[in-house]
Amino acid sequence: SRERDGVDIFPCGLIATSVFNDTFEFSQVMLHDNDSQMVWPSDYERFHNPEDYLERPNTLWLHERYPMLTDAARGVKSRRFVDWMFPSFF
């Protein structure tokens, strides 16, 4: 992890710390973060919260930096976050 103002940042890295909040509105289409088709299962299974998740002192967690992306219960197991971490080649 990286450090900012004496606090560890998890997860760290260029993509994980640069989230954009582009908002799109669809009429009559429901999008859910728990939709298993949002990301490939193999990509989703690559991400895990650390064993001391939420208990490690002096750590700034993903849900604290980007509450619109995930919550404390999911952390990096958010399909939105996993999708963000694998940018499209288009």
Side-chain angles (χ1 to χ4, degrees), residues 21-85:
N21 187 15
D22 292 340
T23 303
F24 299 93
E25 188 171 317
F26 296 95
S27 178
Q28 301 178 3
V29 175
M30 298 298 293
L31 300 175
H32 300 284
D33 187 39
N34 61 357
D35 184 355
S36 63
Q37 295 179 355
M38 181 179 280
V39 295
W40 290 103
S42 58
D43 290 345
Y44 180 76
E45 292 304 319
R46 293 176 64 180
F47 290 84
H48 300 282
N49 292 306
E51 289 184 20
D52 59 348
Y53 179 60
L54 300 180
E55 297 173 5
R56 185 186 310 162
N58 299 320
T59 302
L60 186 61
W61 300 105
L62 182 67
H63 71 276
E64 295 170 317
R65 293 190 326 266
Y66 305 110
M68 73 294 231
L69 186 64
T70 190
D71 55 28
R74 288 182 286 194
V76 299
K77 294 299 284 186
S78 163
R79 291 186 192 319
R80 289 183 184 181
F81 177 70
V82 172
D83 183 52
W84 177 257
M85 292 298 292

Side-chain angles (χ1 to χ4, degrees), residues 7-20:
V7 177
D8 285 336
I9 298 174
F10 182 87
C12 66
L14 180 62
I15 296 174
T17 57
S18 61
V19 174
F20 296 95

